[in-house]
Amino acid sequence: MQRVLRILTNYWESLVGDPATFSLENRAFNSISVITMTLLTILLPFNIILGLTLVSVIVAVLMVLQLFCFYLSRYRRIYGISMLAYVIVSYLTLTATYYLNSGSHGPALLLFFLTFNLLIAFSPRNRHWIWACLHVLLPMILLTREYLHPSWIKDNYMSAENRYIDILSSYAITLVCTYLITNYLRKNYDREKHNAEERADKIDKQNINLEQLNQKKDKLFSIIAHDLQSPLNSIITTLHLIAEYDLKEDEKKMLGDELLTLTKNTSNMLTNLLTWSKMQMDGRGVRLSDVHVYDVVERVLSIQKILADKKSVSLTSRVDPSVYVTADNNMLELIIRNLVNNAIKFTPTGGQVTINLQITDTHCRVMVTDNGIGIDPGQKEEIFSLRTQSTYGTNNEKGIGLGLVLCRELLALQNGELWYESTPGQGTTFYASIPVTEAAANNELLSA
C-alpha cells in the first residue's frame, strides 16, 4: 500500500511540478487545472444526457482552453499569462452558463462559488480582494437583470428530473472540489509550517554554534594576549639576566632550572593551543590504529620526569606491557601528557603520581592518580568547558585552562571518555577510557 501511495505521489508531483523548481502558487494552479479538466470531463456526458447541447459545446471548449492554460503553466512556465487566461475564461463561462442554463434556477451560482475557491487557492494573496469584488458584483448584476427582466432567461431543462440531476451533480462536484481545495491548502500550510520550523531550528543551531565559536575565539585571544605572553616575558627576562650580569654558578643553575621549567610549560601550552586550534579549523581528523599503551606512557614519563624531579614528585607506572588500544598514537600521547602534567602541577613537593590501567570487556581505562590538593566540587560543571579559568599549581606553575577540554575532545574523537574522582586535600584520579583492540580484549577474557 505504501509503495502504491509513493508511486501516486511521485506521479502527481511530476504532473503538477517539482516543489524545488515550481512556486507554491504555480503548483496550485497546475493542480487545480488538472482537477478542473477532470471535472469538465465528468460534466460533459451529464450535459449531453440532459440534452443541454450548447452547454456541452461550452464545456468541451473549456476543456481545450484549460488544457492549453495547463500546458503554458506546467511546461512553458508562463504562470502569469496562464492565470490571467484562466480568470477571463472563467468569468465569461460563468456568465454564459448563467444565461444559457436557466439563470438562478440552474447551477451557475454554485459554479460561481466553486470558481471563487479555485481562484483563492492558486492566486497571490494581494489579488484576492479583486476576485471577491468580482464575485459579489457579477452575480448581483446577473440576478438583478433576471429579476427586472424575467424573460431574459429561458428555462432550458426538458423536465424537472433533468434539473434535479443537474443541480445535484453540480452541488456534489462543488462540495468535493471545496474539500479537495481546502485539504490541498491545509497540506501546503502544514508543509510550509514544517519548513519554517526546520529553518527556525537550523537558525537556532547556527546561533548556538556562532556563540560557541565566539567563546572559543575569545578564549583563543585571551590565551595569546595573556597566558602565552606572560611566560614568554619571563623567559626573556631570565635570558636577559643570564646575558647581562655576572652571576654565580648556583645563581646561573637556579635561573637555568627556572628557564627550563618556563620553556617546557610554555611548550606544553603552545602544543595544546595549536592542537586545539587545528581541530576547530580542519575537521578534526583522527587516524586510528593499534597503539601500545606502555610505550606511550614511557615516552610521556621520560619527558615529565624533569618537572617531577624539580618538585621531588615520584612518578610510578604500573602499566601492563601487553595492552594495546585502538587510538590515534599522537592524540593519546598528548592526552596522557596533559593528565600527568596536571597531576604533577597540583601535587605538592614530595608527592606521588601513579599511572595504572584498568581493563574491561571493551575499554582500557588509563588512570592518572595524584595525592595533591584535589578539585573543588564547585568546579565540576566547568572543569571540562572553556569557561574554566587559568590555574596555578602548587609551585605557581601557569596553566591555560585548555588541557582538560582538549583531552575530552580528543578522546571523544577516538570513541573514548574522560572523567575524574577527587577528594579536596587528598588527591584526584582522572580516567581516560579508550577502546582496547580485539586481540587485547580476547586475551584479557582468556586470562580471566
Side-chain angles (χ1 to χ4, degrees):
M1 186 63 182
Q2 290 182 348
R3 185 171 179 271
V4 173
L5 288 174
R6 187 165 57 251
I7 292 172
L8 290 175
T9 301
N10 292 337
Y11 175 74
W12 179 257
E13 287 195 354
S14 67
L15 189 63
V16 301
D18 187 356
T21 55
F22 285 81
S23 68
L24 181 61
E25 290 85 0
N26 197 343
R27 293 182 71 248
F29 178 79
N30 296 340
S31 301
I32 290 168
S33 294
V34 173
I35 294 172
T36 302
M37 287 186 289
T38 304
L39 293 176
L40 290 173
T41 304
I42 297 171
L43 283 173
L44 183 59
F46 268 101
N47 287 304
I48 293 173
I49 293 171
L50 295 174
L52 302 174
T53 306
L54 189 54
V55 175
S56 300
V57 172
I58 293 174
V59 170
V61 172
L62 283 176
M63 288 176 62
V64 174
L65 290 174
Q66 187 64 67
L67 182 61
F68 180 67
C69 290
F70 176 74
Y71 168 76
L72 291 178
S73 174
R74 173 62 180 86
Y75 297 102
R76 298 296 299 276
R77 301 199 180 189
I78 311 175
Y79 166 63
I81 295 176
S82 303
M83 186 185 70
L84 181 61
Y86 181 90
V87 170
I88 294 172
V89 170
S90 295
Y91 283 116
L92 290 175
T93 304
L94 289 171
T95 303
T97 301
Y98 188 90
Y99 175 73
L100 297 171
N101 202 10
S102 304
S104 61
H105 297 285
L109 293 178
L110 287 172
L111 297 178
F112 265 102
F113 177 74
L114 177 59
T115 303
F116 180 69
N117 277 280
L118 294 173
L119 291 174
I120 291 296
F122 69 75
S123 64
R125 186 183 296 273
N126 58 4
R127 297 182 186 177
H128 289 180
W129 68 273
I130 300 176
W131 316 140
C133 291
L134 287 174
H135 272 75
V136 170
L137 291 174
L138 190 55
M140 187 182 296
I141 292 171
L142 293 172
L143 285 168
T144 303
R145 171 74 175 173
E146 181 184 1
Y147 173 74
L148 295 175
H149 304 281
S151 60
W152 177 63
I153 298 294
K154 294 182 180 181
D155 190 348
N156 294 323
Y157 291 111
M158 292 183 293
S159 67
E161 182 183 2
N162 287 351
R163 181 177 182 277
Y164 168 77
I165 294 172
D166 193 21
I167 296 294
L168 183 61
S169 61
S170 298
Y171 175 77
I173 289 171
T174 301
L175 189 66
V176 171
C177 285
T178 302
Y179 169 76
L180 292 175
I181 293 167
T182 305
N183 192 50
Y184 177 80
L185 294 175
R186 180 65 188 221
K187 284 183 177 180
N188 283 335
Y189 167 77
D190 290 340
R191 186 188 300 115
E192 290 297 317
K193 181 181 177 182
H194 178 70
N195 292 338
E197 289 174 349
E198 282 188 342
R199 288 193 293 269
D201 290 341
K202 187 176 180 180
I203 291 172
D204 288 342
K205 289 178 182 178
Q206 289 175 340
N207 288 337
I208 292 172
N209 290 335
L210 285 174
E211 185 177 349
Q212 291 175 345
L213 287 173
N214 279 331
Q215 290 178 354
K216 291 174 181 178
K217 179 201 68 176
D218 293 341
K219 185 70 178 179
L220 195 60
F221 281 125
S222 171
I223 292 167
I224 294 172
H226 179 266
D227 294 307
L228 278 179
Q229 185 179 8
S230 178
L232 286 174
N233 286 338
S234 297
I235 291 171
I236 293 171
T237 301
T238 303
L239 289 172
H240 178 73
L241 288 173
I242 293 173
E244 296 295 327
Y245 296 94
D246 186 14
L247 302 174
K248 297 178 181 178
E249 286 301 319
D250 59 339
E251 292 175 331
K252 286 183 179 181
K253 185 178 184 308
M254 182 186 69
L255 288 175
D257 291 341
E258 185 69 25
L259 182 61
L260 177 62
T261 302
L262 284 170
T263 303
K264 290 194 70 64
N265 285 337
T266 304
S267 175
N268 286 336
M269 285 193 290
L270 186 59
T271 299
N272 286 342
L273 175 60
L274 292 176
T275 303
W276 179 78
S277 300
K278 187 174 184 295
M279 286 172 57
Q280 306 307 313
M281 291 186 293
D282 65 3
R284 308 183 175 192
V286 56
R287 297 178 181 177
L288 299 179
S289 62
D290 292 346
V291 178
H292 192 203
V293 181
Y294 180 84
D295 286 347
V296 174
V297 171
E298 288 301 308
R299 285 199 302 272
V300 170
L301 294 185
S302 66
I303 296 172
Q304 297 297 320
K305 192 174 186 307
I306 299 173
L307 295 177
D309 289 345
K310 181 176 173 55
K311 293 182 69 174
S312 299
V313 171
S314 66
L315 292 178
T316 304
S317 172
R318 297 172 183 166
V319 174
D320 184 349
S322 66
V323 176
Y324 285 79
V325 295
T326 303
D328 183 298
N329 187 77
N330 293 329
M331 288 184 179
L332 183 60
E333 184 171 337
L334 183 60
I335 291 164
I336 296 175
R337 184 165 72 244
N338 270 290
L339 296 179
V340 172
N341 186 267
N342 265 0
I344 295 171
K345 174 180 169 183
F346 292 105
T347 299
T349 300
Q352 185 173 7
V353 174
T354 306
I355 299 92
N356 286 306
L357 292 187
Q358 188 180 76
I359 308 297
T360 66
D361 291 346
T362 57
H363 282 71
C364 166
R365 294 174 181 172
V366 180
M367 301 183 296
V368 180
T369 304
D370 64 67
N371 60 349
I373 59 177
I375 299 173
D376 187 340
Q379 293 182 295
K380 188 172 184 178
E381 297 298 325
E382 296 188 352
I383 197 166
F384 292 116
S385 75
L386 288 172
R387 296 190 301 273
T388 187
Q389 301 297 315
S390 301
T391 52
Y392 291 87
T394 53
N395 279 7
N396 288 324
E397 302 97 324
K398 188 73 169 67
I400 60 173
L402 183 63
L404 292 177
V405 177
L406 180 62
C407 288
R408 173 168 274 193
E409 290 189 11
L410 291 176
L411 278 167
L413 291 176
Q414 301 169 88
N415 303 311
E417 293 182 88
L418 179 66
W419 70 95
Y420 72 91
E421 295 174 356
S422 182
T423 303
Q426 296 183 22
T428 303
T429 298
F430 274 90
Y431 298 84
S433 178
I434 199 94
V436 294
T437 60
E438 186 175 347
N442 291 337
N443 290 338
E444 183 67 22
L445 288 172
L446 288 173
S447 63

